[in-house]
Every structure is written in C-alpha cells, then in structure tokens.
Amino acid sequence: MAETLCCINPGLYVGSRINHSRPLLKCRSGGGGMRRVVVVNMSLSHHHHHHNNQPYWAAINDQIQTHLKKVVTVKDPVSVFEPMHHLVFSSPPDTAPALCVAACDLVGGGGGGDLALAAAAALQVILAASFTHEYLPLSDRPSLMPRPGPGPIGHHAFGPNVELLTGDGMVPFGLELVAKSDDPDQNNSDRILRVIVEITRAVGSLGVVDGQYSELQCSQLEGNGSWHMDLINNTCEKKEGGLHACAAACGAILGGGSEEEIEKLRRFGLYVGMIQGTLLRYLPEKRSIRVEELRNLALKELEGFDEANVKAISSFIEGNLSRV
Amino acid sequence: MAETLCCINPGLYVGSRINHSRPLLKCRSGGGGMRRVVVVNMSLSHHHHHHNNQPYWAAINDQIQTHLKKVVTVKDPVSVFEPMHHLVFSSPPDTAPALCVAACDLVGGGGGGDLALAAAAALQVILAASFTHEYLPLSDRPSLMPRPGPGPIGHHAFGPNVELLTGDGMVPFGLELVAKSDDPDQNNSDRILRVIVEITRAVGSLGVVDGQYSELQCSQLEGNGSWHMDLINNTCEKKEGGLHACAAACGAILGGGSEEEIEKLRRFGLYVGMIQGTLLRYLPEKRSIRVEELRNLALKELEGFDEANVKAISSFIEGNLSRV
C-alpha cells in the first residue's frame, strides 16, 4: 500500500500532488500537539475504501486541476506568476473545492457546472494564498503555529517577501476568476455576486481569519479547559467548517438550488468540514463521539434530495471517517 | 502654517488623520533613496492653494470617511475587527478613492453615487491591507523596502501575526463591501461585477503586486541605467497609476458612463497616478519634464466632458502639482 507520511499542522495537510482522490486522509494521533497524517493513495488501495466513491471524487478533482492549469499559467509578469503558479500547485490539496462541484451536481446542475468549476478553482487559489501566509516566516513574534518540518511544507522555494506579495495577489486573482465567469447573456450575475460574498465571508474576517485567531489564542493557552475547547471548536467551525459550508453553498447557488437546498447543503458542508477539523485537533479519546455526532447531523441534511445523487455526495463523509 | 513632517517610502505616504483635503501633498527631495513629504493642512493654508478646489475634495473625503466609519466597526469577533479598524483608520490617506467618486460625478452620477462611495470605501480598505503587508516585518530576508521611521509608520500597534492575518481579512472584506452594494432591483449587478474585476486586477498580480515586485527589484539594483528607469516607470504605472486608473474607471462604470468615457477617465486616472509616483521616485532634476508630460496627457483626456464638472476633477492635478 502506497503511503505518504508527513507532519501536519492543525487545519492543513500536505499530500502527494498525485493524489486526486480526496477526501481521503487517514489521521493518527502523534506526540505533542503535532499529529501525523497518512495520505492514502486511493488508486492503490480502493479495496480498503469501497464506500469512498473514489471515481466520483477523482473525476471532480481532475476537472478542477484541468481548469486550474488553464487559468493559472506562468505568464507576464513572470516574476509574479511564476511564484503564484508554484504556490497554487504546491499547496496541499483541500476537499472544499470538490464539494462545491458536487453540491452543484446534487441540486441538478442547472447549467451551472462551468461556474461551479470556476468557483472551485478560485477556492483552491484562495486556500493556497491562506496556506502561504499561514506559514510565512515572521520576525519579532513567534509563528502563528509551529512550523511543520522537515518535509514539503518546511521548504520555501521563495523568500518571505515574494510569498507575502504573491499571497496578496492570489486572493483578488481567485475572486476575479469567479467574477469573470459571469456571462451577461446567461443572466446569472446575481448568483455570481452572491458567490463572491459567500467566498469573501468564508475566507475573511468572520471566517478563516477568525478561525486563525482562535487557533493562535489556543496555541498560547495551557491546559484543556472549557475555554480551550471553545477555541478549538471555533477554529474547526471557521476554518474547515466554514470553508466547506461556503463551498457547498456556492455549488448549490450556481446550480440553481432553492433557498432550502442551499441552506441544507451549507449545513452539510459545515458538519463535514468540522469533522475534518475535529480529526485534526481533538484528543483521540474525545474524537469519536464528536465525529459521530457531526456525521449524523450531516447525513440528516441530505434527506429529501434525490437518492441516487445523495449516495455520491454522502461518500464525502466516509472519506473523512476513514481517517479515524 | 501647520505642517506635518514625516518620512516616506516610495508609493505611500503618511499624514495627519485630520487632513481630509487630499490630494494635497508637497514633496521635497531628501537624502538617499528616501524623500520627505510635507503634508499641508489645507484648512489653514488654502490661500496658498487656490487652484486646489479644496472644498470639493474635502466634501468627497468626508463622505468616504463617514461611509467607512459606518461599515468598518469594532464588532464581533473583536480580536479580528479591532485590529482591522485600527489598520484602516491609521493607514495613510490615499487619493484614489476620492477620484472614484469624482469620476462618477463627472459622467453624471446616474444614481451611482452610493455605489461609488461603497467602491471608494472598499478601495481604501484594500489599500490599507496593501500598506499593512508592505510594512510587515519579515524574517530571513530584508524588507521589501527600507522601513520608515521614526514616526507613525514605524510604530506597529499589533504584532506581525495579527497584521498579516488582518491584512488577509481586509481584501475580501473590501470586495464584499462592493459586492454587497448590489441592489437586485436596480439591475446593476453587471456594473458591480465589472467593478470587482477592475479592483481585483488593479490590486492583484497584474497591478499593485506587479508594481511591488518592480520596486523590490529596483531596490536591489545599483546605478540609474535604463533598466532601472523601466522598473521605476513600471512601479509608478502599476502602483499609483494603476490604482488611480482603476478608481476613475470604477467611478465612471458606476455612474453609467459610456465606454469612451470610462476609457478616457481610466487614462486620466493613470496619468494623474503616475504623476504621484513620479514625484515620489524620480530624481528631482528629472521630475519636472516627466510631470509636465503626464499632466498634458491627463488634461487631454478631459476634453469633451462637461466644462463645469471638468474644473472640479482637473483640480486633482493641481493638487498633485503643488507638490513639485
């Protein structure tokens, strides 16, 4: 069985770039605050994960990668786009973009497939920006969280100045990918603007940035009291939870889902994202109960959708659960 | 005469927060690569600047400040919004947002006044994010440019982690301000999406970030050869030039200007922004010729617009020129 072992920091993981069959992480508890993650190369191990619906997610991730390769190229000015290209394609894969496309499928697509792909690619670019800044070496203060290493994350191909600037360029670039996917003839500008607000909220001050603050405060706390748990839960809710909630809601919006479908898929995304966060941050002994709770909540949100399509998207949870 | 003396880095300046009468900088050549800027408190010195149309710009800047105070508040999560509030209101004022409102006026407004204010506020937030990251203390590598100081810029109220995160949250927050200004009943989603693309391009990889790279390369070069001049010109074009071009184009789009008007105002913004950049980066002996050239190009773009309104917006140049 082909396995890639790597150190991991809360909230973010690294895997082989060849692995397109996310969400397929195995998480094992490690020493200290650090956990080790085994990224399973599904194409070699699908007999262990027959619930994972691997071809479905692999196809979606292939589409997203193809789209990303088309829109993120090394063009002029090369000094800007070379590091951006590197950072986008060397950042760890994330499962949120695929959920965006799957949510669009679930509500029937409604001609929104290309828009969902554009939004998924944008999310991947913006997540790469967030990852880049999260691991930027800063002076004067300790890092936001312990730097991972040795290993792929520990290596910086560019200096911190270039990483900082490139990260700054990537967020607007990602949002531009969404805004440009507008086709005035299709009369879907309203949906696209709504998706832009969804993404800016999820990645901004009330979303990932809030989660990062919680994580920062958490890392400065001793003990494991109730305030500590509140911070961990807020981190899971705002980082993985918020991003998956956003991705699923965006897919549903672009696929023409009803308001009820959008909100159900948003909650589904929230819970499955929080499962990921829980697996990364909870102590092993407390993990199972919380995950089971979130899993049931997530599955409940899928009730009422077309059963054949539910099977595909619900396998997202099994992919997460195979980590416990 | 009340003057605030402060050190300045290329491309950005600091002034008293009380000074709402931008664009009203006086620039003096200083030693080395550093120049000193005198911010003139216009309310005490308007007899020296009768061309500046001070009440017009002061009124616009007041409106922008009022709007900013309404949308950038210290709300929950306080750990995020308190530093954001601080960084937005302590960043140096920039003249681009006011140009957005003035350009909207010039093309007749067309009910787009509130939208232009929202876009101007968004620009100010995003410029503050850019400023914050530009002066972030980084380890491992020298700063992008010499840190200014002592003085207001040299002081960091928050640690670099918090500044980095907050800056990350500010770009999406700014774009959200634009996206949220959409009123589906007004049927102007297309204009707003176009403005979002304008802003993402101006601040992103092809815009400010590209200008910052040029500036970084420039700071690492010896001498004053033609490649050096190309880098300086690219910095002026992408930073101040691109931002003012974007601001003016956004105002024209939101005010319902024709395509010709939008492009004329975009070029007007480009030239007046480049005048600012030239004043900051050119050697004193080369400055006047270049500024005069840009000034003539800028004024040419205003031909054909309503003469009464042209007087107001063209005073932007006089504000810049009073710096020479």
Side-chain angles (χ1 to χ4, degrees), chain B residues 27-112:
Chain B
C27 197
R28 291 178 186 158
S29 67
M34 214 71 149
R35 289 181 189 92
R36 305 182 88 188
V37 165
V38 185
V39 179
V40 183
N41 185 333
M42 279 301 292
S43 58
L44 297 173
S45 62
H46 68 272
H47 55 285
H48 286 156
H49 297 273
H50 45 84
H51 292 305
N52 284 331
N53 216 337
Q54 188 252 345
Y56 179 70
W57 297 106
I60 289 181
N61 282 311
D62 278 348
Q63 283 180 296
I64 297 173
Q65 287 294 316
T66 303
H67 191 83
L68 269 177
K69 279 178 194 151
K70 214 173 68 189
V71 295
V72 182
T73 55
V74 180
K75 59 185 172 187
D76 268 332
V78 173
S79 57
V80 177
F81 283 103
E82 209 235 313
M84 185 190 286
H85 186 268
H86 171 82
L87 292 168
V88 167
F89 291 102
S90 69
S91 283
D94 193 284
T95 52
L99 191 58
C100 174
V101 178
C104 181
D105 281 356
L106 184 64
V107 299

Coordinates of all heavy atoms in Angstrom, one line a residue, chain B residues 27-112:
Chain B
C27 N 6.0 67.6 -2.0 CA 7.1 66.7 -1.9 C 8.4 67.4 -2.0 O 8.5 68.3 -2.9 CB 7.0 65.6 -3.0 SG 8.0 64.2 -2.8
R28 N 9.3 67.1 -1.2 CA 10.7 67.7 -1.3 C 11.6 66.6 -1.4 O 11.5 65.6 -0.8 CB 11.0 68.5 0.0 CG 10.2 69.7 0.2 CD 10.6 70.3 1.5 NE 9.7 71.5 1.9 CZ 9.5 71.9 3.1 NH1 10.1 71.3 4.1 NH2 8.7 72.9 3.3
S29 N 12.7 66.8 -2.2 CA 13.7 65.8 -2.3 C 14.4 65.7 -1.0 O 14.7 66.6 -0.3 CB 14.6 66.1 -3.5 OG 15.4 67.2 -3.1
G30 N 14.8 64.4 -0.6 CA 15.5 64.2 0.6 C 16.8 63.5 0.3 O 17.1 63.3 -0.9
G31 N 17.6 63.1 1.3 CA 18.8 62.4 1.1 C 18.6 61.0 0.7 O 17.5 60.4 1.0
G32 N 19.5 60.4 -0.1 CA 19.4 59.0 -0.4 C 18.2 58.6 -1.2 O 17.6 59.4 -1.9
G33 N 17.7 57.4 -1.0 CA 16.5 56.9 -1.7 C 15.3 57.5 -1.0 O 14.2 57.3 -1.6
M34 N 15.4 58.0 0.1 CA 14.3 58.4 0.9 C 13.9 59.9 0.6 O 14.8 60.7 0.5 CB 14.7 58.4 2.4 CG 13.7 57.9 3.3 SD 13.2 56.2 3.1 CE 12.8 55.9 4.8
R35 N 12.6 60.2 0.5 CA 12.2 61.6 0.4 C 11.3 62.0 1.5 O 10.7 61.2 2.1 CB 11.5 61.7 -1.0 CG 12.5 61.6 -2.1 CD 11.8 61.8 -3.5 NE 12.8 61.4 -4.5 CZ 13.0 60.2 -5.0 NH1 12.2 59.2 -4.6 NH2 13.9 59.9 -5.8
R36 N 11.3 63.3 1.7 CA 10.4 63.7 2.8 C 9.2 64.4 2.2 O 9.3 65.1 1.2 CB 11.2 64.7 3.7 CG 12.5 64.1 4.2 CD 13.2 65.1 5.1 NE 12.7 65.0 6.5 CZ 13.1 65.9 7.4 NH1 13.8 66.9 7.1 NH2 12.6 65.8 8.6
V37 N 8.1 64.2 2.8 CA 6.9 64.8 2.3 C 6.3 65.7 3.3 O 6.3 65.4 4.5 CB 5.9 63.7 2.0 CG1 4.5 64.3 1.8 CG2 6.3 62.9 0.7
V38 N 5.9 66.8 2.9 CA 5.2 67.8 3.8 C 3.7 67.7 3.5 O 3.3 68.0 2.4 CB 5.7 69.2 3.5 CG1 5.1 70.1 4.6 CG2 7.2 69.3 3.6
V39 N 3.0 67.2 4.4 CA 1.5 67.2 4.3 C 1.0 68.6 4.8 O 1.2 69.0 5.9 CB 0.9 66.1 5.1 CG1 -0.6 66.1 4.9 CG2 1.4 64.8 4.6
V40 N 0.4 69.3 3.9 CA -0.1 70.6 4.2 C -1.5 70.5 4.7 O -2.4 69.9 4.1 CB -0.1 71.5 3.0 CG1 -0.5 72.9 3.3 CG2 1.3 71.5 2.4
N41 N -1.8 71.0 5.9 CA -3.1 71.1 6.4 C -3.9 72.2 5.7 O -3.7 73.4 6.0 CB -3.1 71.4 7.9 CG -4.5 71.3 8.5 OD1 -5.5 71.6 7.8 ND2 -4.6 71.0 9.7
M42 N -4.7 71.9 4.7 CA -5.2 72.8 3.8 C -6.2 73.8 4.5 O -6.3 75.0 4.0 CB -6.0 72.1 2.7 CG -5.1 71.7 1.6 SD -4.2 73.0 0.8 CE -5.6 73.9 0.1
S43 N -6.8 73.4 5.5 CA -7.8 74.3 6.1 C -7.1 75.5 6.7 O -7.7 76.6 6.9 CB -8.5 73.6 7.2 OG -7.6 73.1 8.2
L44 N -5.8 75.4 6.9 CA -5.0 76.6 7.4 C -4.2 77.2 6.3 O -3.6 78.3 6.5 CB -4.0 76.1 8.5 CG -4.7 75.5 9.7 CD1 -3.6 75.0 10.7 CD2 -5.5 76.6 10.4
S45 N -4.2 76.7 5.1 CA -3.3 77.2 4.1 C -4.0 77.3 2.7 O -3.3 77.3 1.7 CB -2.1 76.3 4.0 OG -2.4 75.0 3.6
H46 N -5.3 77.4 2.7 CA -5.9 77.4 1.4 C -5.6 78.6 0.5 O -5.7 78.6 -0.7 CB -7.4 77.2 1.5 CG -8.1 78.3 2.1 ND1 -8.3 78.5 3.4 CD2 -8.7 79.4 1.5 CE1 -9.0 79.6 3.7 NE2 -9.2 80.2 2.5
H47 N -5.1 79.7 1.2 CA -4.7 80.8 0.4 C -3.5 80.5 -0.5 O -3.2 81.2 -1.4 CB -4.5 82.0 1.3 CG -3.5 81.8 2.3 ND1 -3.8 81.1 3.5 CD2 -2.2 82.2 2.4 CE1 -2.7 81.0 4.2 NE2 -1.8 81.7 3.6
H48 N -2.8 79.5 -0.1 CA -1.6 79.1 -0.9 C -2.0 78.2 -2.1 O -1.2 77.8 -2.9 CB -0.6 78.4 -0.1 CG 0.2 79.3 0.8 ND1 0.8 78.8 2.0 CD2 0.4 80.6 0.7 CE1 1.4 79.8 2.6 NE2 1.2 80.9 1.8
H49 N -3.2 77.7 -2.1 CA -3.6 76.6 -3.0 C -4.9 76.9 -3.6 O -5.8 76.0 -3.6 CB -3.6 75.2 -2.3 CG -2.3 74.9 -1.7 ND1 -1.3 74.2 -2.5 CD2 -1.7 75.1 -0.5 CE1 -0.3 74.0 -1.8 NE2 -0.4 74.5 -0.6
H50 N -5.1 78.1 -4.1 CA -6.4 78.4 -4.6 C -6.9 77.6 -5.8 O -8.0 77.6 -6.1 CB -6.4 79.9 -5.0 CG -5.2 80.4 -5.7 ND1 -5.2 80.3 -7.1 CD2 -4.1 80.9 -5.3 CE1 -4.0 80.7 -7.5 NE2 -3.3 81.1 -6.4
H51 N -5.9 76.9 -6.4 CA -6.3 76.1 -7.6 C -6.9 74.7 -7.1 O -7.3 73.9 -7.9 CB -5.1 75.8 -8.5 CG -4.6 77.0 -9.2 ND1 -5.5 77.8 -10.0 CD2 -3.4 77.6 -9.2 CE1 -4.8 78.8 -10.5 NE2 -3.5 78.7 -10.0
N52 N -6.7 74.4 -5.9 CA -6.9 73.0 -5.5 C -8.4 72.6 -5.3 O -8.7 71.4 -5.1 CB -6.2 72.7 -4.2 CG -4.7 72.6 -4.5 OD1 -4.3 72.2 -5.5 ND2 -3.9 72.9 -3.5
N53 N -9.3 73.6 -5.4 CA -10.7 73.2 -5.2 C -10.9 72.4 -4.0 O -11.6 71.4 -4.0 CB -11.1 72.4 -6.5 CG -12.5 72.7 -6.9 OD1 -13.3 73.2 -6.0 ND2 -12.9 72.4 -8.1
Q54 N -10.3 72.9 -2.9 CA -10.3 72.2 -1.7 C -11.7 71.7 -1.2 O -11.9 70.6 -0.8 CB -9.5 73.0 -0.6 CG -9.3 72.2 0.7 CD -10.1 72.7 1.8 OE1 -10.7 73.8 1.7 NE2 -10.2 72.0 2.9
P55 N -12.7 72.6 -1.2 CA -14.0 72.2 -0.6 C -14.6 71.0 -1.3 O -15.2 70.1 -0.7 CB -14.9 73.4 -0.8 CG -14.0 74.6 -1.0 CD -12.7 74.0 -1.6
Y56 N -14.3 70.9 -2.7 CA -14.9 69.8 -3.4 C -14.3 68.5 -2.9 O -15.0 67.5 -2.6 CB -14.5 70.0 -4.9 CG -15.0 68.8 -5.8 CD1 -16.4 68.6 -6.0 CD2 -14.1 68.0 -6.4 CE1 -16.8 67.6 -6.9 CE2 -14.5 66.9 -7.2 CZ -15.9 66.7 -7.4 OH -16.3 65.7 -8.2
W57 N -12.9 68.4 -2.8 CA -12.3 67.2 -2.4 C -12.5 66.9 -0.9 O -12.7 65.7 -0.5 CB -10.8 67.2 -2.7 CG -10.5 67.3 -4.2 CD1 -10.1 68.4 -4.9 CD2 -10.7 66.3 -5.2 NE1 -10.0 68.1 -6.2 CE2 -10.4 66.8 -6.4 CE3 -11.1 64.9 -5.1 CZ2 -10.5 66.1 -7.6 CZ3 -11.2 64.2 -6.2 CH2 -10.9 64.8 -7.5
A58 N -12.6 68.0 -0.1 CA -12.8 67.8 1.3 C -14.2 67.1 1.5 O -14.4 66.2 2.3 CB -12.7 69.1 2.0
A59 N -15.2 67.6 0.7 CA -16.5 67.1 0.8 C -16.6 65.6 0.5 O -17.2 64.8 1.2 CB -17.5 67.9 0.0
I60 N -15.9 65.2 -0.6 CA -15.8 63.8 -1.0 C -15.1 63.0 0.0 O -15.6 61.9 0.4 CB -15.1 63.7 -2.4 CG1 -15.9 64.3 -3.5 CG2 -14.8 62.2 -2.7 CD1 -15.3 64.2 -4.9
N61 N -14.0 63.5 0.5 CA -13.3 62.7 1.5 C -14.1 62.5 2.8 O -14.0 61.5 3.5 CB -11.9 63.3 1.8 CG -10.9 62.9 0.7 OD1 -10.8 61.7 0.3 ND2 -10.2 63.9 0.1
D62 N -14.9 63.6 3.2 CA -15.7 63.5 4.3 C -16.8 62.4 4.1 O -17.1 61.6 5.0 CB -16.4 64.8 4.6 CG -15.5 65.7 5.4 OD1 -14.5 65.3 5.9 OD2 -15.9 66.9 5.5
Q63 N -17.3 62.4 2.9 CA -18.4 61.3 2.6 C -17.7 59.9 2.7 O -18.3 59.0 3.3 CB -18.9 61.5 1.2 CG -19.9 62.6 1.1 CD -20.4 62.7 -0.4 OE1 -19.6 63.0 -1.3 NE2 -21.7 62.5 -0.6
I64 N -16.5 59.8 2.2 CA -15.9 58.5 2.2 C -15.6 58.1 3.7 O -15.8 56.9 4.1 CB -14.6 58.5 1.4 CG1 -14.9 58.7 -0.1 CG2 -13.8 57.1 1.6 CD1 -13.7 58.9 -1.0
Q65 N -15.1 59.0 4.5 CA -14.8 58.7 5.9 C -16.1 58.3 6.6 O -16.1 57.4 7.4 CB -14.1 59.9 6.6 CG -12.7 60.2 6.1 CD -11.7 59.1 6.6 OE1 -11.8 58.6 7.7 NE2 -10.9 58.6 5.7
T66 N -17.1 59.1 6.4 CA -18.4 58.8 7.0 C -18.9 57.4 6.7 O -19.3 56.6 7.5 CB -19.5 59.8 6.6 OG1 -19.0 61.1 6.9 CG2 -20.8 59.5 7.3
H67 N -18.8 57.0 5.4 CA -19.2 55.7 4.9 C -18.3 54.6 5.6 O -18.8 53.6 6.0 CB -19.1 55.6 3.4 CG -19.7 54.4 2.8 ND1 -21.1 54.3 2.6 CD2 -19.2 53.2 2.5 CE1 -21.3 53.1 2.1 NE2 -20.2 52.4 2.1
L68 N -17.0 54.9 5.6 CA -16.0 53.9 6.2 C -16.3 53.7 7.7 O -16.3 52.6 8.1 CB -14.6 54.5 6.1 CG -13.8 54.1 4.9 CD1 -12.4 54.8 5.0 CD2 -13.6 52.6 4.8
K69 N -16.7 54.8 8.4 CA -17.0 54.6 9.8 C -18.2 53.8 10.0 O -18.4 53.1 11.0 CB -17.1 56.0 10.5 CG -15.8 56.6 10.8 CD -16.0 58.0 11.4 CE -14.6 58.7 11.4 NZ -14.8 60.2 11.3
K70 N -19.1 53.8 9.0 CA -20.4 53.1 9.1 C -20.1 51.6 8.9 O -20.7 50.7 9.5 CB -21.4 53.6 8.1 CG -22.8 53.6 8.6 CD -23.7 54.3 7.6 CE -23.8 53.6 6.3 NZ -24.5 54.3 5.2
V71 N -19.2 51.3 7.9 CA -19.1 49.9 7.5 C -17.9 49.2 8.2 O -17.9 48.0 8.3 CB -18.9 49.7 6.0 CG1 -20.2 50.1 5.3 CG2 -17.8 50.5 5.4
V72 N -16.9 50.0 8.7 CA -15.8 49.3 9.4 C -15.9 49.7 10.9 O -15.6 50.7 11.3 CB -14.4 49.9 8.9 CG1 -13.3 49.2 9.6 CG2 -14.3 49.7 7.4
T73 N -16.5 48.7 11.6 CA -16.8 49.0 13.0 C -16.1 47.9 13.9 O -15.7 46.9 13.3 CB -18.3 48.9 13.3 OG1 -18.8 47.7 12.9 CG2 -19.0 50.1 12.6
V74 N -15.9 48.2 15.1 CA -15.4 47.1 16.0 C -16.5 46.3 16.5 O -17.2 46.6 17.5 CB -14.6 47.8 17.2 CG1 -14.0 46.7 18.1 CG2 -13.5 48.7 16.7
K75 N -16.7 45.2 15.8 CA -17.8 44.2 16.2 C -17.2 42.9 16.5 O -16.0 42.7 16.4 CB -18.8 44.2 15.0 CG -18.1 43.7 13.7 CD -19.1 43.7 12.5 CE -18.4 43.4 11.2 NZ -19.2 43.6 10.0
D76 N -18.0 41.9 16.7 CA -17.6 40.5 17.0 C -17.1 39.9 15.7 O -17.8 40.1 14.7 CB -18.7 39.7 17.6 CG -18.6 39.7 19.1 OD1 -17.5 39.9 19.7 OD2 -19.7 39.6 19.8
P77 N -16.1 39.1 15.6 CA -15.1 38.9 16.7 C -14.2 40.1 16.9 O -13.5 40.5 15.9 CB -14.3 37.6 16.2 CG -14.5 37.7 14.7 CD -15.8 38.3 14.4
V78 N -14.2 40.6 18.1 CA -13.4 41.8 18.4 C -11.9 41.6 18.1 O -11.2 42.5 17.6 CB -13.6 42.2 19.9 CG1 -12.7 43.4 20.3 CG2 -15.0 42.7 20.1
S79 N -11.4 40.4 18.3 CA -10.0 40.1 18.1 C -9.6 40.3 16.6 O -8.5 40.6 16.3 CB -9.6 38.7 18.5 OG -10.4 37.8 17.8
V80 N -10.6 40.2 15.7 CA -10.4 40.5 14.3 C -10.6 41.9 13.9 O -9.9 42.6 13.3 CB -11.3 39.6 13.4 CG1 -11.1 39.9 12.0 CG2 -11.0 38.1 13.7
F81 N -11.8 42.4 14.4 CA -12.2 43.7 13.9 C -11.6 44.9 14.6 O -11.6 46.0 14.1 CB -13.8 43.9 14.0 CG -14.4 43.1 12.8 CD1 -15.0 41.9 13.0 CD2 -14.3 43.6 11.5 CE1 -15.5 41.2 11.9 CE2 -14.9 42.9 10.4 CZ -15.5 41.7 10.7
E82 N -11.0 44.7 15.8 CA -10.3 45.8 16.4 C -9.0 46.1 15.7 O -8.8 47.3 15.3 CB -10.0 45.4 17.9 CG -10.0 46.7 18.8 CD -8.7 46.8 19.5 OE1 -8.3 45.8 20.1 OE2 -8.1 47.8 19.5
P83 N -8.2 45.1 15.4 CA -7.0 45.5 14.6 C -7.4 46.0 13.2 O -6.7 46.9 12.6 CB -6.2 44.2 14.5 CG -7.0 43.1 15.1 CD -8.1 43.7 15.9
M84 N -8.4 45.4 12.6 CA -8.8 45.9 11.2 C -9.2 47.3 11.3 O -8.8 48.1 10.4 CB -10.0 45.1 10.7 CG -10.3 45.5 9.2 SD -11.8 44.8 8.5 CE -11.3 43.1 8.2
H85 N -10.0 47.7 12.3 CA -10.4 49.1 12.5 C -9.2 50.0 12.6 O -9.1 51.0 12.0 CB -11.3 49.2 13.7 CG -12.0 50.5 13.9 ND1 -11.3 51.5 14.7 CD2 -13.1 51.1 13.5 CE1 -12.1 52.5 14.7 NE2 -13.2 52.3 14.0
H86 N -8.3 49.5 13.5 CA -7.1 50.3 13.7 C -6.3 50.5 12.4 O -5.9 51.6 12.0 CB -6.2 49.7 14.7 CG -4.9 50.3 14.9 ND1 -4.6 51.4 15.6 CD2 -3.7 50.0 14.3 CE1 -3.4 51.8 15.5 NE2 -2.7 50.9 14.7
L87 N -6.1 49.4 11.6 CA -5.3 49.5 10.4 C -6.0 50.3 9.3 O -5.3 51.1 8.6 CB -5.0 48.1 9.9 CG -4.0 47.3 10.8 CD1 -4.0 45.8 10.4 CD2 -2.6 47.9 10.9
V88 N -7.3 50.2 9.2 CA -8.0 51.0 8.2 C -7.8 52.5 8.5 O -7.5 53.3 7.6 CB -9.5 50.6 8.1 CG1 -10.2 51.6 7.3 CG2 -9.6 49.2 7.5
F89 N -8.0 52.9 9.8 CA -8.1 54.3 10.1 C -6.7 54.9 10.4 O -6.6 56.1 10.6 CB -9.1 54.6 11.2 CG -10.5 54.4 10.7 CD1 -11.2 53.2 11.0 CD2 -11.1 55.3 9.9 CE1 -12.5 53.0 10.6 CE2 -12.4 55.1 9.4 CZ -13.1 54.0 9.8
S90 N -5.7 54.0 10.5 CA -4.4 54.6 10.8 C -3.5 54.5 9.5 O -2.4 55.0 9.5 CB -3.7 53.9 11.9 OG -3.3 52.5 11.6
S91 N -4.0 53.8 8.5 CA -3.2 53.8 7.2 C -3.2 55.2 6.6 O -4.2 56.0 6.8 CB -3.8 52.8 6.2 OG -3.5 51.5 6.6
P92 N -2.2 55.5 5.8 CA -2.2 56.8 5.2 C -3.3 57.0 4.3 O -3.8 56.1 3.6 CB -0.9 56.8 4.4 CG -0.5 55.4 4.3 CD -1.1 54.7 5.4
P93 N -3.9 58.2 4.2 CA -4.9 58.5 3.2 C -4.4 58.3 1.8 O -3.2 58.5 1.6 CB -5.3 60.0 3.5 CG -4.1 60.5 4.2 CD -3.4 59.4 4.9
D94 N -5.3 57.9 0.9 CA -4.9 57.8 -0.5 C -5.8 58.6 -1.3 O -7.0 58.7 -0.9 CB -4.9 56.3 -0.8 CG -4.2 56.0 -2.2 OD1 -4.8 56.3 -3.2 OD2 -3.1 55.5 -2.1
T95 N -5.3 59.1 -2.4 CA -6.2 59.9 -3.2 C -7.1 59.2 -4.2 O -8.0 59.7 -4.8 CB -5.3 61.0 -4.0 OG1 -4.3 60.2 -4.7 CG2 -4.7 61.9 -3.1
A96 N -6.8 57.9 -4.4 CA -7.5 57.1 -5.4 C -9.0 57.0 -5.1 O -9.9 57.2 -6.0 CB -6.9 55.7 -5.6
P97 N -9.4 56.7 -3.8 CA -10.9 56.6 -3.6 C -11.7 57.8 -3.9 O -12.8 57.7 -4.5 CB -10.9 56.3 -2.1 CG -9.6 55.6 -1.8 CD -8.6 56.3 -2.7
A98 N -11.1 59.0 -3.6 CA -11.8 60.3 -3.9 C -12.0 60.4 -5.5 O -13.1 60.9 -5.9 CB -11.1 61.5 -3.4
L99 N -11.0 59.9 -6.2 CA -11.1 60.0 -7.7 C -12.3 59.2 -8.2 O -12.9 59.5 -9.2 CB -9.8 59.6 -8.3 CG -9.6 59.9 -9.8 CD1 -9.8 61.3 -10.1 CD2 -8.3 59.4 -10.3
C100 N -12.5 58.1 -7.5 CA -13.7 57.2 -7.9 C -15.0 58.0 -7.8 O -15.8 57.9 -8.8 CB -13.7 56.0 -7.0 SG -15.1 54.9 -7.2
V101 N -15.2 58.7 -6.7 CA -16.4 59.4 -6.5 C -16.5 60.6 -7.5 O -17.5 60.8 -8.1 CB -16.5 59.9 -5.1 CG1 -17.8 60.8 -4.9 CG2 -16.5 58.8 -4.1
A102 N -15.4 61.2 -7.7 CA -15.3 62.4 -8.7 C -15.6 61.9 -10.1 O -16.3 62.6 -10.8 CB -14.0 63.1 -8.6
A103 N -15.1 60.8 -10.5 CA -15.3 60.3 -11.8 C -16.8 59.9 -12.0 O -17.4 60.2 -13.1 CB -14.5 59.0 -12.1
C104 N -17.4 59.4 -11.0 CA -18.9 59.1 -11.0 C -19.7 60.4 -11.2 O -20.6 60.4 -12.1 CB -19.3 58.4 -9.8 SG -21.0 57.9 -9.7
D105 N -19.3 61.4 -10.5 CA -19.9 62.7 -10.6 C -19.8 63.2 -12.1 O -20.7 63.7 -12.7 CB -19.2 63.8 -9.8 CG -19.6 63.7 -8.3 OD1 -20.5 62.9 -8.0 OD2 -19.0 64.5 -7.5
L106 N -18.6 63.1 -12.6 CA -18.2 63.7 -13.9 C -19.1 63.1 -15.0 O -19.5 63.8 -15.9 CB -16.8 63.5 -14.3 CG -16.3 64.1 -15.6 CD1 -16.4 65.7 -15.5 CD2 -14.9 63.7 -15.9
V107 N -19.4 61.8 -15.0 CA -20.2 61.2 -16.0 C -21.7 61.4 -15.7 O -22.5 60.8 -16.4 CB -19.9 59.7 -16.2 CG1 -18.4 59.6 -16.7 CG2 -20.2 58.9 -15.0
G108 N -22.0 62.1 -14.7 CA -23.4 62.4 -14.5 C -24.1 61.7 -13.3 O -25.2 61.9 -13.0
G109 N -23.3 60.8 -12.7 CA -23.8 60.1 -11.5 C -24.7 59.0 -11.8 O -24.4 57.8 -11.5
G110 N -25.8 59.3 -12.5 CA -26.7 58.2 -12.9 C -27.2 57.3 -11.7 O -27.3 56.1 -11.9
G111 N -27.4 57.9 -10.6 CA -27.9 57.1 -9.4 C -26.8 56.2 -8.8 O -27.0 55.5 -7.9
G112 N -25.5 56.4 -9.3 CA -24.5 55.5 -8.9 C -23.6 56.1 -7.7 O -22.6 55.5 -7.4

